[in-house]
Amino acid sequence: RHCQGCIYSINPDSLETSVVIEKAHGAQGWGAEVWGLALDRHDHNLVYSGGDDCLLKCHDLRTPHTVSTSRYHEMGVCCISPDPVSHNQIISGSYDELVVEWDTRNFKQPLRTVSVGGGVWRIKRSPENTHLLIAGMHSGFHVVDLTEFAVTQTYTGHTSLAYGADWMDQGLLLLAPFMITWLTFGTVVSN
């Protein structure tokens, strides 16, 4: 069954699905789509979700109620990246062009923000957890230094939307613009 704005679990053996959280997103009774989802890396009872309704939420799978909600983003929240080292930090990205670092214990005020000039569609952490690779839709691909929380490199050598991005070994980047049938490889230059 389809449930707009719901979060599902799927049994990998039987492929049986069940709704874990009903209407995770959607204000005033309309169901907003869930665009971003991430499990907390340190507490697997916690799930972070971002939606079409501009909200970033934390859910506890043991209860039907939302634990906390951020209304900071002004457009849909597309991606969420939990920190693999710091227990209470995540990064969110939105169509409002912002990459935002959060302390998950306080969704009222972000720790740091950086604008990439285009809707943030994907966030990927470097294997060393020192940089973020951002697919910034209309503004290209960006590398954000996590120490300074600033854009240090930008790639715009394509004519389409920046949608897919990931890290390879030794600082190489894998980039996939929308509607283009090639992949681009680049290298992060250390300062």
Side-chain angles (χ1 to χ4, degrees), residues 20-24 45-47 57-69:
V20 178
I21 301 170
E22 290 265 352
K23 296 187 179 170
N45 292 307
L46 300 179
V47 176
K57 293 185 173 187
C58 177
H59 311 274
D60 188 326
L61 296 176
R62 298 167 292 191
T63 177
H65 306 291
T66 301
V67 174
S68 57
T69 301

PDB file of all heavy atoms in Angstrom, residues 20-24 45-47 57-69:
ATOM      1  N   VAL A  20       6.441   2.029   9.379  1.00  0.00           N
ATOM      2  CA  VAL A  20       7.056   2.234  10.685  1.00  0.00           C
ATOM      3  C   VAL A  20       6.541   3.535  11.301  1.00  0.00           C
ATOM      4  O   VAL A  20       6.223   3.593  12.476  1.00  0.00           O
ATOM      5  CB  VAL A  20       8.597   2.268  10.568  1.00  0.00           C
ATOM      6  CG1 VAL A  20       9.238   2.540  11.909  1.00  0.00           C
ATOM      7  CG2 VAL A  20       9.111   0.976   9.991  1.00  0.00           C
ATOM      8  N   ILE A  21       6.469   4.576  10.489  1.00  0.00           N
ATOM      9  CA  ILE A  21       6.009   5.875  10.967  1.00  0.00           C
ATOM     10  C   ILE A  21       4.965   6.402   9.991  1.00  0.00           C
ATOM     11  O   ILE A  21       5.258   6.631   8.819  1.00  0.00           O
ATOM     12  CB  ILE A  21       7.177   6.870  11.101  1.00  0.00           C
ATOM     13  CG1 ILE A  21       8.215   6.324  12.084  1.00  0.00           C
ATOM     14  CG2 ILE A  21       6.675   8.239  11.537  1.00  0.00           C
ATOM     15  CD1 ILE A  21       9.503   7.091  12.119  1.00  0.00           C
ATOM     16  N   GLU A  22       3.732   6.556  10.453  1.00  0.00           N
ATOM     17  CA  GLU A  22       2.644   7.111   9.642  1.00  0.00           C
ATOM     18  C   GLU A  22       2.827   8.619   9.526  1.00  0.00           C
ATOM     19  O   GLU A  22       3.116   9.283  10.517  1.00  0.00           O
ATOM     20  CB  GLU A  22       1.285   6.835  10.295  1.00  0.00           C
ATOM     21  CG  GLU A  22       0.867   5.399  10.261  1.00  0.00           C
ATOM     22  CD  GLU A  22      -0.028   5.068   9.084  1.00  0.00           C
ATOM     23  OE1 GLU A  22      -0.459   5.985   8.363  1.00  0.00           O
ATOM     24  OE2 GLU A  22      -0.263   3.874   8.887  1.00  0.00           O
ATOM     25  N   LYS A  23       2.660   9.140   8.354  1.00  0.00           N
ATOM     26  CA  LYS A  23       2.683  10.580   8.111  1.00  0.00           C
ATOM     27  C   LYS A  23       3.832  11.271   8.827  1.00  0.00           C
ATOM     28  O   LYS A  23       3.631  12.170   9.639  1.00  0.00           O
ATOM     29  CB  LYS A  23       1.344  11.192   8.459  1.00  0.00           C
ATOM     30  CG  LYS A  23       0.242  10.656   7.564  1.00  0.00           C
ATOM     31  CD  LYS A  23      -1.048  11.362   7.776  1.00  0.00           C
ATOM     32  CE  LYS A  23      -2.047  10.734   6.804  1.00  0.00           C
ATOM     33  NZ  LYS A  23      -3.385  11.089   6.979  1.00  0.00           N
ATOM     34  N   ALA A  24       5.025  10.816   8.527  1.00  0.00           N
ATOM     35  CA  ALA A  24       6.220  11.423   9.112  1.00  0.00           C
ATOM     36  C   ALA A  24       6.333  12.891   8.729  1.00  0.00           C
ATOM     37  O   ALA A  24       6.866  13.699   9.475  1.00  0.00           O
ATOM     38  CB  ALA A  24       7.462  10.660   8.658  1.00  0.00           C
ATOM     39  N   ASN A  45      17.780   3.176  17.091  1.00  0.00           N
ATOM     40  CA  ASN A  45      16.370   3.466  17.340  1.00  0.00           C
ATOM     41  C   ASN A  45      15.970   4.823  16.782  1.00  0.00           C
ATOM     42  O   ASN A  45      14.791   5.129  16.679  1.00  0.00           O
ATOM     43  CB  ASN A  45      16.069   3.446  18.846  1.00  0.00           C
ATOM     44  CG  ASN A  45      16.186   2.057  19.419  1.00  0.00           C
ATOM     45  OD1 ASN A  45      15.573   1.124  18.921  1.00  0.00           O
ATOM     46  ND2 ASN A  45      16.987   1.915  20.452  1.00  0.00           N
ATOM     47  N   LEU A  46      16.965   5.648  16.430  1.00  0.00           N
ATOM     48  CA  LEU A  46      16.694   6.996  15.931  1.00  0.00           C
ATOM     49  C   LEU A  46      16.819   7.054  14.418  1.00  0.00           C
ATOM     50  O   LEU A  46      17.762   6.521  13.839  1.00  0.00           O
ATOM     51  CB  LEU A  46      17.644   8.006  16.568  1.00  0.00           C
ATOM     52  CG  LEU A  46      17.577   8.127  18.092  1.00  0.00           C
ATOM     53  CD1 LEU A  46      18.587   9.150  18.578  1.00  0.00           C
ATOM     54  CD2 LEU A  46      16.167   8.471  18.549  1.00  0.00           C
ATOM     55  N   VAL A  47      15.856   7.731  13.798  1.00  0.00           N
ATOM     56  CA  VAL A  47      15.832   7.924  12.350  1.00  0.00           C
ATOM     57  C   VAL A  47      15.614   9.407  12.097  1.00  0.00           C
ATOM     58  O   VAL A  47      14.747  10.033  12.728  1.00  0.00           O
ATOM     59  CB  VAL A  47      14.688   7.123  11.687  1.00  0.00           C
ATOM     60  CG1 VAL A  47      14.608   7.418  10.207  1.00  0.00           C
ATOM     61  CG2 VAL A  47      14.851   5.645  11.932  1.00  0.00           C
ATOM     62  N   LYS A  57      13.305  16.120  10.794  1.00  0.00           N
ATOM     63  CA  LYS A  57      12.745  15.506  11.998  1.00  0.00           C
ATOM     64  C   LYS A  57      13.625  14.381  12.507  1.00  0.00           C
ATOM     65  O   LYS A  57      14.313  13.720  11.739  1.00  0.00           O
ATOM     66  CB  LYS A  57      11.352  14.944  11.715  1.00  0.00           C
ATOM     67  CG  LYS A  57      10.304  16.004  11.416  1.00  0.00           C
ATOM     68  CD  LYS A  57       8.940  15.376  11.268  1.00  0.00           C
ATOM     69  CE  LYS A  57       7.858  16.413  11.140  1.00  0.00           C
ATOM     70  NZ  LYS A  57       6.517  15.787  11.164  1.00  0.00           N
ATOM     71  N   CYS A  58      13.521  14.146  13.821  1.00  0.00           N
ATOM     72  CA  CYS A  58      14.126  12.987  14.455  1.00  0.00           C
ATOM     73  C   CYS A  58      12.992  12.143  15.004  1.00  0.00           C
ATOM     74  O   CYS A  58      12.113  12.654  15.714  1.00  0.00           O
ATOM     75  CB  CYS A  58      15.064  13.417  15.579  1.00  0.00           C
ATOM     76  SG  CYS A  58      15.775  12.008  16.468  1.00  0.00           S
ATOM     77  N   HIS A  59      13.002  10.852  14.653  1.00  0.00           N
ATOM     78  CA  HIS A  59      11.979   9.912  15.110  1.00  0.00           C
ATOM     79  C   HIS A  59      12.657   8.821  15.935  1.00  0.00           C
ATOM     80  O   HIS A  59      13.752   8.388  15.616  1.00  0.00           O
ATOM     81  CB  HIS A  59      11.289   9.231  13.919  1.00  0.00           C
ATOM     82  CG  HIS A  59      10.831  10.171  12.867  1.00  0.00           C
ATOM     83  ND1 HIS A  59       9.610  10.800  12.907  1.00  0.00           N
ATOM     84  CD2 HIS A  59      11.439  10.597  11.725  1.00  0.00           C
ATOM     85  CE1 HIS A  59       9.478  11.558  11.832  1.00  0.00           C
ATOM     86  NE2 HIS A  59      10.563  11.457  11.105  1.00  0.00           N
ATOM     87  N   ASP A  60      11.969   8.373  16.977  1.00  0.00           N
ATOM     88  CA  ASP A  60      12.399   7.215  17.750  1.00  0.00           C
ATOM     89  C   ASP A  60      11.490   6.069  17.346  1.00  0.00           C
ATOM     90  O   ASP A  60      10.265   6.163  17.501  1.00  0.00           O
ATOM     91  CB  ASP A  60      12.286   7.502  19.248  1.00  0.00           C
ATOM     92  CG  ASP A  60      12.897   6.410  20.106  1.00  0.00           C
ATOM     93  OD1 ASP A  60      12.829   5.219  19.719  1.00  0.00           O
ATOM     94  OD2 ASP A  60      13.444   6.746  21.172  1.00  0.00           O
ATOM     95  N   LEU A  61      12.060   4.993  16.810  1.00  0.00           N
ATOM     96  CA  LEU A  61      11.266   3.877  16.300  1.00  0.00           C
ATOM     97  C   LEU A  61      10.479   3.159  17.391  1.00  0.00           C
ATOM     98  O   LEU A  61       9.588   2.372  17.091  1.00  0.00           O
ATOM     99  CB  LEU A  61      12.168   2.890  15.561  1.00  0.00           C
ATOM    100  CG  LEU A  61      12.847   3.446  14.313  1.00  0.00           C
ATOM    101  CD1 LEU A  61      13.786   2.418  13.714  1.00  0.00           C
ATOM    102  CD2 LEU A  61      11.811   3.907  13.291  1.00  0.00           C
ATOM    103  N   ARG A  62      10.777   3.446  18.646  1.00  0.00           N
ATOM    104  CA  ARG A  62      10.063   2.800  19.748  1.00  0.00           C
ATOM    105  C   ARG A  62       8.784   3.531  20.130  1.00  0.00           C
ATOM    106  O   ARG A  62       8.014   3.060  20.958  1.00  0.00           O
ATOM    107  CB  ARG A  62      10.979   2.691  20.969  1.00  0.00           C
ATOM    108  CG  ARG A  62      12.207   1.825  20.705  1.00  0.00           C
ATOM    109  CD  ARG A  62      13.233   1.985  21.781  1.00  0.00           C
ATOM    110  NE  ARG A  62      13.797   3.342  21.710  1.00  0.00           N
ATOM    111  CZ  ARG A  62      14.876   3.751  22.371  1.00  0.00           C
ATOM    112  NH1 ARG A  62      15.504   2.918  23.172  1.00  0.00           N
ATOM    113  NH2 ARG A  62      15.318   4.976  22.248  1.00  0.00           N
ATOM    114  N   THR A  63       8.555   4.695  19.526  1.00  0.00           N
ATOM    115  CA  THR A  63       7.378   5.495  19.859  1.00  0.00           C
ATOM    116  C   THR A  63       6.792   6.102  18.582  1.00  0.00           C
ATOM    117  O   THR A  63       7.532   6.372  17.642  1.00  0.00           O
ATOM    118  CB  THR A  63       7.737   6.618  20.861  1.00  0.00           C
ATOM    119  OG1 THR A  63       6.586   7.419  21.097  1.00  0.00           O
ATOM    120  CG2 THR A  63       8.850   7.496  20.354  1.00  0.00           C
ATOM    121  N   PRO A  64       5.491   6.338  18.532  1.00  0.00           N
ATOM    122  CA  PRO A  64       4.889   6.915  17.325  1.00  0.00           C
ATOM    123  C   PRO A  64       5.080   8.428  17.214  1.00  0.00           C
ATOM    124  O   PRO A  64       4.743   9.020  16.200  1.00  0.00           O
ATOM    125  CB  PRO A  64       3.401   6.570  17.482  1.00  0.00           C
ATOM    126  CG  PRO A  64       3.183   6.449  18.949  1.00  0.00           C
ATOM    127  CD  PRO A  64       4.477   5.919  19.508  1.00  0.00           C
ATOM    128  N   HIS A  65       5.637   9.048  18.235  1.00  0.00           N
ATOM    129  CA  HIS A  65       5.761  10.502  18.249  1.00  0.00           C
ATOM    130  C   HIS A  65       7.126  10.958  17.740  1.00  0.00           C
ATOM    131  O   HIS A  65       8.142  10.312  17.982  1.00  0.00           O
ATOM    132  CB  HIS A  65       5.539  11.037  19.659  1.00  0.00           C
ATOM    133  CG  HIS A  65       4.241  10.577  20.259  1.00  0.00           C
ATOM    134  ND1 HIS A  65       3.018  11.014  19.800  1.00  0.00           N
ATOM    135  CD2 HIS A  65       3.987   9.696  21.252  1.00  0.00           C
ATOM    136  CE1 HIS A  65       2.066  10.421  20.486  1.00  0.00           C
ATOM    137  NE2 HIS A  65       2.633   9.615  21.371  1.00  0.00           N
ATOM    138  N   THR A  66       7.150  12.095  17.076  1.00  0.00           N
ATOM    139  CA  THR A  66       8.400  12.704  16.632  1.00  0.00           C
ATOM    140  C   THR A  66       9.158  13.221  17.851  1.00  0.00           C
ATOM    141  O   THR A  66       8.579  13.866  18.724  1.00  0.00           O
ATOM    142  CB  THR A  66       8.106  13.866  15.663  1.00  0.00           C
ATOM    143  OG1 THR A  66       7.379  13.348  14.547  1.00  0.00           O
ATOM    144  CG2 THR A  66       9.382  14.521  15.176  1.00  0.00           C
ATOM    145  N   VAL A  67      10.456  12.939  17.914  1.00  0.00           N
ATOM    146  CA  VAL A  67      11.281  13.366  19.038  1.00  0.00           C
ATOM    147  C   VAL A  67      11.576  14.862  18.955  1.00  0.00           C
ATOM    148  O   VAL A  67      11.460  15.585  19.936  1.00  0.00           O
ATOM    149  CB  VAL A  67      12.601  12.553  19.086  1.00  0.00           C
ATOM    150  CG1 VAL A  67      13.529  13.075  20.160  1.00  0.00           C
ATOM    151  CG2 VAL A  67      12.303  11.082  19.290  1.00  0.00           C
ATOM    152  N   SER A  68      11.991  15.325  17.769  1.00  0.00           N
ATOM    153  CA  SER A  68      12.276  16.752  17.593  1.00  0.00           C
ATOM    154  C   SER A  68      12.096  17.135  16.132  1.00  0.00           C
ATOM    155  O   SER A  68      12.202  16.300  15.230  1.00  0.00           O
ATOM    156  CB  SER A  68      13.677  17.107  18.093  1.00  0.00           C
ATOM    157  OG  SER A  68      14.638  16.326  17.443  1.00  0.00           O
ATOM    158  N   THR A  69      11.826  18.413  15.921  1.00  0.00           N
ATOM    159  CA  THR A  69      11.574  18.943  14.579  1.00  0.00           C
ATOM    160  C   THR A  69      12.295  20.257  14.415  1.00  0.00           C
ATOM    161  O   THR A  69      12.269  21.109  15.308  1.00  0.00           O
ATOM    162  CB  THR A  69      10.059  19.176  14.365  1.00  0.00           C
ATOM    163  OG1 THR A  69       9.370  17.937  14.539  1.00  0.00           O
ATOM    164  CG2 THR A  69       9.781  19.720  12.975  1.00  0.00           C
TER     165      THR A  69
END
